[in-house]
Amino acid sequence: MARIAVIGAGIVGLACAFHLRADGHEITVIDPAPEGDKCSWGNAGGIGVAEVVPAAMPGLFWRVPGWLLDPLGPLALRPAHAPRMLPWLAALASATRPKRMEQAAAALASLLGRVYADLCPMLAAVGLEGQLHRAGALTVYRKRLALYADRAEWDLKRRHGIVCEQISGAEARRLEPALGPDITFGVVTPAWSHVSDPKAIWAALLADARTHGVTVRQGKASDVRTEGRVQLASGEAVDCDAVVLAAGAWSAPLARQAGDRVLLESERGYNLTVPAPGVSLSREVIFAEQKFVATPLSVGLRIGGAAEFAGLNAAPNFARARALGKLGASYLPGLSLKGGLQWMGQRPATPDSLPVLGPSPRRPDIFYAFGHGHLGLTLAATTGRMAADYFAVRTPPVDPLPFSVARFN
Ligand SMILES: Cc1cc2nc3c(=O)[nH]c(=O)nc-3n(C[C@H](O)[C@H](O)[C@H](O)COP(=O)(O)OP(=O)(O)OC[C@H]3O[C@@H](n4cnc5c(N)ncnc54)[C@H](O)[C@@H]3O)c2cc1C
């Protein structure tokens, strides 16, 4: 049994705490605001097991100018932040090479293939198995050309064994009668699922941690250079035998202290959660052309998306959340946006869309568990399982090599 400090009380840190305390370790979770808003609270609630397609697809950069032209469109890059992003962008460009993209997709597929085997037992253990709705997802298109432009992505998914059923607009409306008449195609991915409320899962994991003797310590980890202790910004320290770094989009400076270069950006996403939308969906719907989603949650219909690169400290631009609501209403004609709650979250994004999972090559007492981008909720349980396997020296369920931090050096 070891004393393990888990840095970060997001869904990933708590899933690591869950698996590590189950192995009998003594866990301290450190977070400056353990019960404060975080990316894990307000996400779209999708269990996106079909998402093997990395952001860095060949041809990506041809599509970017069109997205950037719309100030409230799916992609935004704040000019003041752009120079600081150059190394990340260069790595993104390099990750679009077909061979690199195929490798990333295969690695993602290996992790995503584990999701239900790890997530279902974790949800059951915290009494939330009823929170998972295995209803599939429906991706919809207005234009034939847009579906045609996405064909490489659908082919890639199919090559990885993911069932993707193309249907007509009328069939899509039969599945989701709230959709408007201008939908001409849909693609059903039955393996997908969604949860009732991502924040409820986070809260149940936090409560479970406390019930099982995990110490949740308020504090900002400021220094991990000395083995055997995590220094806090307050001047106090947490003594430990090992560390799991799961601080989401804030992880890179701490990894750097351990001697590991990481390319990590905050990819900010927005959403609007409407408590009484006046329409109902029975599964997550993905609006392919404008790159946003709508998920029927217990707290309302959540309409969200966007990728905004502005750094960790820029003020949110909630006009994006409102714009997403309006877009939603253009697809779902009966949608009322009244009382919609605006939210912004910082996705921890790597240029190759792969999380950083595994030990620091220089500091084997530190396990990295961050960089989950769009898939942190989906991959949290599998990440926790891999962290526990590492400290128990068990063979992990998937090859950890593609996720090593060493790929950035
Ligand atoms: C709009 C949107 C929609 C999304 N939809 C989905 C979806 O449908 N499905 C899905 O799987 N994923 C989705 N995601 C992504 C998912 O939310 C994230 O990948 C996930 O929440 C990341 O979890 P995390 O625990 O790594 O980070 P976080 O939840 O951000 O937690 C990190 C924690 O680390 C703490 N921290 C920071 N610095 C320090 C420090 N120095 N010391 C100690 N603690 C520190 C922070 O306070 C925070 O509590 C979405 C994200 C967004 C923004």
Side-chain angles (χ1 to χ4, degrees), residues 78 96 172 189 294 296 315 322 324 382 392:
R78 290 212 193 157
T96 61
T189 40
R322 294 190 290 277
L324 284 161
T382 299

Side-chain angles (χ1 to χ4, degrees), residues 371-382:
H372 295 72
H374 291 231
L375 292 171
L377 170 66
T378 305
L379 293 174
T382 299

